[in-house]
Amino acid sequence: MTRRDFDPATVTPDGRPAAKARLFDATIDGPYRGSINGETLATQITVLTYGNDEPGVGPVLHIHPYDEVFVVQKGRARFFVGDHTIDAEAGDTVMAPAAVPHKFINLGPGRLQTLDIHLSPRWIQTNLE
């Protein structure tokens, strides 16, 4: 599929170099095995990786001053976002708007693995539980 969403001649590089950072560290125990602040990559998003093997387990209810997007990479999850309950599985994406309390749990069976995208150059969070 050929796409032409904009004219490349109308965009100029902003001078930032390409960047690399390691997100996932398999030697770290626990569900959070890595994060990259956007500041590290000179961008406006922060990326986290989360995973667990226990149905019913997930992050505590928390809130951010920016939107968060979850990409379910493996397994099934139940997201609680404000007054909404959303079931999602591998391949689904869920968005929690800024200032709306949210959490999710592994629905099982097996591993839940997510990639969590924070629309902020830093991970800023307040736990509510």
Side-chain angles (χ1 to χ4, degrees), residues 7-66:
D7 179 356
T10 65
V11 180
T12 57
D14 63 12
R16 291 177 299 152
K20 175 186 173 183
R22 186 160 183 84
L23 173 63
F24 184 79
D25 185 347
T27 65
I28 297 174
D29 288 330
Y32 291 101
R33 294 189 178 170
S35 66
I36 301 170
N37 277 336
E39 297 162 331
T40 302
L41 298 176
T43 189
Q44 295 299 307
I45 65 164
T46 294
V47 181
L48 285 76
T49 182
Y50 176 90
N52 80 55
D53 298 301
E54 300 177 55
V57 174
V60 300
L61 188 67
H62 60 278
I63 194 168
H64 309 284
Y66 48 77

Side-chain angles (χ1 to χ4, degrees), residues 45-48 66-71 115-119:
I45 65 164
T46 294
V47 181
L48 285 76
Y66 48 77
D67 293 346
E68 182 175 9
V69 176
F70 304 91
V71 180
L115 187 70
D116 307 343
I117 303 165
H118 294 236
L119 301 181

